[in-house]
Amino acid sequence: MDNLASTGPLSLPDLWDRVTGSQPHPDLWVVIATLVAALAVVVPHGAWRISRNAVTIAHEGGHGLIALVTGRTLTGIRLHSDTSGLTVSRGKPHGLGMILTAAAGYTAPPLLGLGGAALLGAGRITLLLWLATALLITMLLMIRNAYGALTVILTGGTFLLVSWLAEPQVQSGFAYAVVWFLLLGGVRPAFELQAKRSHGGAPDSDADQLSRLTHVPAGLWLFFFHVVSLCSLMGGAQWLLRL
């Protein structure tokens, strides 16, 4: 696909075709290189302390999106510098809507990665970038603290610049790196939560809230988070590597 910035004014039909059209798959070495890059910001502890902010955006965005879908009133979202977050919604304190909202946090990053892998497997690179930008802009409207707003603005601005100004090869590499990051970064938080709970920490975690809502042991909900993240990683890897 041609770079959007390198052409003259586009009509709406032309723009729609460019956004929804398919682009060539990158070479395998690019896919592998972006996988290595994602591992480099997920596995080392120092890099993860910074990159985990992006996973928190997806985590809290998942809570917020499902709250809206299930008819709850989304009050606001806060993102903190310690990579924690808080999503507040109003509605019944029990029932299916509350359960789905609570379950959406840890499952959102890997499922977003899986959806992104499906789009990349179909060659919809530009569509992926624009959808991600739209989701971040929408989330920004619900952010209620300065650090959270800054984090989302920087992340959304990066997506916007890449999707509008970058060359197709750069767009492709960026998109693959982001999806690998979501797939890999979606696995680690559940293991971190498991470690905290094994030492008596995180008594109000999503798993514990779900346990109180459903009377299902928190350990089973934690196992559910593991299943979703690991299955998403395996499924997404097959699409990305075109196995």
Side-chain angles (χ1 to χ4, degrees):
M1 171 185 161
D2 294 333
N3 188 350
L4 291 178
S6 65
T7 63
L10 293 173
S11 65
L12 283 178
D14 289 338
L15 183 60
W16 177 256
D17 289 340
R18 288 182 177 241
V19 172
T20 60
S22 62
Q23 294 81 43
H25 293 289
D27 295 333
L28 181 59
W29 74 265
V30 175
V31 180
I32 300 299
T34 54
L35 167 59
V36 172
L39 285 169
V41 297
V42 170
V43 175
H45 180 70
W48 176 243
R49 287 182 60 187
I50 299 173
S51 64
R52 199 184 193 283
N53 285 282
V55 175
T56 302
I57 291 175
H59 180 113
E60 300 303 330
H63 283 313
L65 176 62
I66 299 303
L68 291 173
V69 169
T70 56
R72 300 180 61 80
T73 300
L74 182 59
T75 304
I77 299 173
R78 291 177 175 269
L79 306 173
H80 304 131
S81 59
D82 62 355
T83 72
S84 66
L86 177 66
T87 299
V88 179
S89 62
R90 293 199 307 268
K92 292 194 301 182
H94 51 78
L96 182 61
M98 187 63 200
I99 294 170
L100 292 175
T101 298
Y106 280 91
T107 57
L111 289 177
L112 285 172
L114 182 63
L119 287 174
L120 294 181
R124 302 297 197 270
I125 296 170
T126 304
L127 179 60
L128 168 66
L129 295 174
W130 282 50
L131 284 175
T133 303
L135 287 173
L136 287 165
I137 292 173
T138 303
M139 184 176 178
L140 180 61
L141 300 177
M142 299 307 303
I143 295 294
R144 294 295 181 265
N145 67 322
Y147 180 83
L150 177 62
T151 303
V152 174
I153 288 172
L154 290 176
T155 306
T158 301
F159 273 89
L160 184 61
L161 289 174
V162 171
S163 62
W164 190 257
L165 298 177
E167 296 293 332
Q169 295 85 350
V170 176
Q171 292 183 2
S172 178
F174 178 77
Y176 272 80
V178 167
V179 171
W180 277 125
F181 172 75
L182 287 172
L183 291 170
L184 294 166
V187 172
R188 184 163 178 173
F191 283 100
E192 291 178 334
L193 176 58
Q194 183 176 356
K196 289 179 181 178
R197 296 190 73 259
S198 68
H199 294 91
D204 292 320
S205 70
D206 291 356
D208 292 280
Q209 292 182 44
L210 285 163
S211 178
R212 291 191 287 269
L213 286 167
T214 63
H215 306 293
V216 173
L220 287 180
W221 281 108
L222 188 57
F223 176 73
F224 171 71
F225 296 156
H226 284 310
V227 169
V228 172
S229 62
L230 292 172
C231 288
S232 296
L233 174 58
M234 290 186 290
Q238 291 187 23
W239 270 317
L240 295 177
L241 296 170
R242 300 191 294 280
L243 299 178

